[in-house]
Amino acid sequence: MTMSLFLTIFLTLYTGLHYYLYGKIVGALAPGAPGKALLGVIFIFMIIAPVLVRLAERHELDLLARLLAYTGYIWMGVAFLCFSLSFLVDLYRLLLWGLSPWLDLSALRPSRRTAFFLPGLLSILIGFYGFYAALQIKTETHTLVTEKLPAGVDRLRIAFISDLHLGVIVGEDRVKRVLRVLEEAKPDLLISLGDLVDGQLNHVEGSMALLAKYQPPLGKYAVPGNHEYFVGLPYALALTQEAGFTLLRGEAVTVGGLVNLAGADDPTAQRFGLALPGEEKTLLAGLPRDRFTLLLKHQPLVEEDSLGLFDLQVSGHTHRGQIFPFYLLTRLVFPYPTGFARLSKGSSLYTSRGTGTWGPPIRFLAPPEVTVLDLVRP
């Protein structure tokens, strides 16, 4: 899917959402012609706000981009919540209508005003909570027992961040929160699973400098995500390297003789004509089998030919939907949208909820995480 096609689909769906909410507001408040016109202007502005953010970024209008981003993206999150809750209320009203030939349930049927204001108020309250929840980064610690650690090494601790989306909204404050979690966890190795950067601002150097100062004993590695391609791959990779990460783009290494890391490129590379030659199976087959093999892929997509050649694939991308009930849609696209999944031939998959936010700075029922994996000897 090209970026223009994605934008077309997004704007079409987003316009439909606003059309639905427009009908709800008009039905509840019955405004006159001036009120309808004003509401229409506001909705059109909110629909195109994400595009205006990108235009402001390209022209390095930082303050304008930030104001547009917070306004447009917070609205996006609350509007999605309002749409979802209003749709549930409409289903409830439809159910009562369907039962009306047999039962008199008119007393249970909410008015059009109630059917709008109740979801609207709940959406605003959830939005406030989600804004707070997006800042509360949780440590998800998991332990795997393996015989593939060398003698004398009883534990290897690896931390993963994913989907930080540094840019117009997520900045230095979020990085400091991540670093506090990492300093408490004290991992031996840090890995970024892609989408480290977002947008086109040239003012994320402060965030990268903070990340660069953090140096775990075995270093830092990263794989690109789809947003690295949207931003511009050379620019994104340069920023990632400034932050002190070693890129694994279709490459594999054995770190310190302790663990194998194989970094697969993101499928988005094919859409931009930047795909690297070689197969994932070939990449994995060349690694020593007596060491634990981590396959690093931004998207939780599993290739059948690779099963049995890696012990654990670690991915991100899904954000666990970020704002429920969007999670239900991610399940339609990705069979393993979050958490651990046992695959075949001794391989497993872990999908992170992600560390930052994309679009709305809101998370609901999908808290951000830094994943900590402890490999221990039996």
Side-chain angles (χ1 to χ4, degrees):
M1 184 187 299
T2 64
M3 192 62 181
S4 59
L5 179 59
F6 169 80
L7 187 61
T8 301
I9 295 173
F10 168 77
L11 288 176
T12 301
L13 295 175
Y14 200 39
T15 300
L17 180 149
H18 279 81
Y19 182 78
Y20 175 86
L21 293 180
Y22 179 87
K24 285 291 180 182
I25 296 175
V26 169
L29 302 180
K36 291 180 180 179
L38 177 61
L39 182 63
V41 170
I42 293 173
F43 273 27
I44 290 172
F45 172 77
M46 291 303 182
I47 290 169
I48 64 174
V51 178
L52 297 177
V53 171
R54 295 307 185 201
L55 291 175
E57 286 179 319
R58 287 181 183 177
H59 292 86
E60 298 191 19
L61 302 173
D62 298 353
L63 180 59
L64 178 60
R66 211 169 298 278
L67 289 173
L68 287 170
Y70 273 101
T71 302
Y73 287 133
I74 289 177
W75 170 271
M76 181 188 291
V78 173
F80 173 72
L81 287 166
C82 188
F83 168 82
S84 303
L85 293 170
S86 296
F87 187 73
L88 284 178
V89 172
D90 281 349
L91 288 179
Y92 170 71
R93 285 162 56 92
L94 182 63
L95 176 64
L96 295 182
W97 177 82
L99 296 174
S100 60
W102 302 278
L103 297 171
D104 181 13
L105 301 173
S106 57
L108 299 177
R109 186 167 182 169
S111 66
R112 299 187 75 174
R113 291 175 66 89
T114 301
F116 166 70
F117 281 108
L118 181 60
L121 179 60
L122 284 175
S123 300
I124 293 172
L125 293 176
I126 293 173
F128 275 113
Y129 166 77
F131 186 86
Y132 167 80
L135 301 175
Q136 311 308 308
I137 301 172
K138 298 181 179 295
T139 305
E140 292 287 350
T141 303
H142 303 277
T143 301
L144 290 181
V145 179
T146 176
E147 297 179 350
K148 295 184 178 181
L149 286 178
V153 178
D154 296 323
R155 187 192 77 170
L156 179 65
R157 172 164 284 192
I158 307 170
F160 302 86
I161 59 174
S162 178
D163 303 278
L164 196 52
H165 290 283
L166 294 170
V168 67
I169 288 181
V170 180
E172 294 182 32
D173 177 70
R174 195 71 56 88
V175 173
K176 290 176 182 177
R177 291 173 181 268
V178 171
L179 291 177
R180 283 197 290 269
V181 174
L182 292 173
E183 287 165 358
E184 183 176 341
K186 295 181 174 59
D188 302 300
L189 180 64
L190 174 62
I191 295 172
S192 171
L193 296 170
D195 283 4
L196 183 66
V197 293
D198 183 69
Q200 295 167 334
L201 283 177
N202 295 317
H203 302 290
V204 294
E205 289 82 1
S207 297
M208 296 303 172
L210 288 172
L211 284 171
K213 292 179 181 178
Y214 183 76
Q215 291 294 336
L218 296 178
K220 301 185 296 188
Y221 293 83
V223 292
N226 55 310
H227 278 262
E228 271 76 13
Y229 289 92
F230 297 156
V231 171
L233 188 64
Y235 167 64
L237 296 187
L239 287 174
T240 304
Q241 290 168 336
E242 283 180 20
F245 289 93
T246 298
L247 265 298
L248 296 178
R249 188 170 167 243
E251 299 171 280
V253 295
T254 302
V255 180
L258 302 176
V259 62
N260 298 326
L261 303 180
D265 208 351
D266 192 77
T268 310
Q270 298 177 0
R271 304 170 197 165
F272 285 80
L274 298 172
L276 297 175
E279 296 181 346
E280 183 178 294
K281 178 181 178 181
T282 304
L283 178 68
L284 291 165
L287 292 169
R289 302 301 301 154
D290 61 341
R291 291 292 173 261
F292 192 93
T293 298
L294 283 169
L295 175 58
L296 313 176
K297 296 176 69 173
H298 177 63
Q299 299 187 39
L301 301 171
V302 178
E303 293 191 11
E304 292 292 328
D305 289 345
S306 299
L307 292 174
L309 296 177
F310 64 88
D311 296 289
L312 178 66
Q313 174 180 322
V314 190
S315 300
H317 184 65
T318 66
H319 295 220
R320 202 184 186 275
Q322 189 166 311
I323 301 176
F324 190 85
F326 201 80
Y327 169 71
L328 302 178
L329 298 179
T330 64
R331 289 190 64 89
L332 299 177
V333 180
F334 298 99
Y336 312 108
T338 186
F340 266 104
R342 294 290 181 185
L343 307 175
S344 61
K345 300 181 181 179
S347 296
S348 299
L349 167 69
Y350 182 82
T351 306
S352 166
R353 298 187 301 265
T355 314
T357 55
W358 176 83
I362 294 171
R363 278 182 172 264
F364 179 55
L365 301 183
E369 71 170 84
V370 169
T371 313
V372 175
L373 174 66
D374 281 334
L375 300 179
V376 298
R377 292 176 61 83

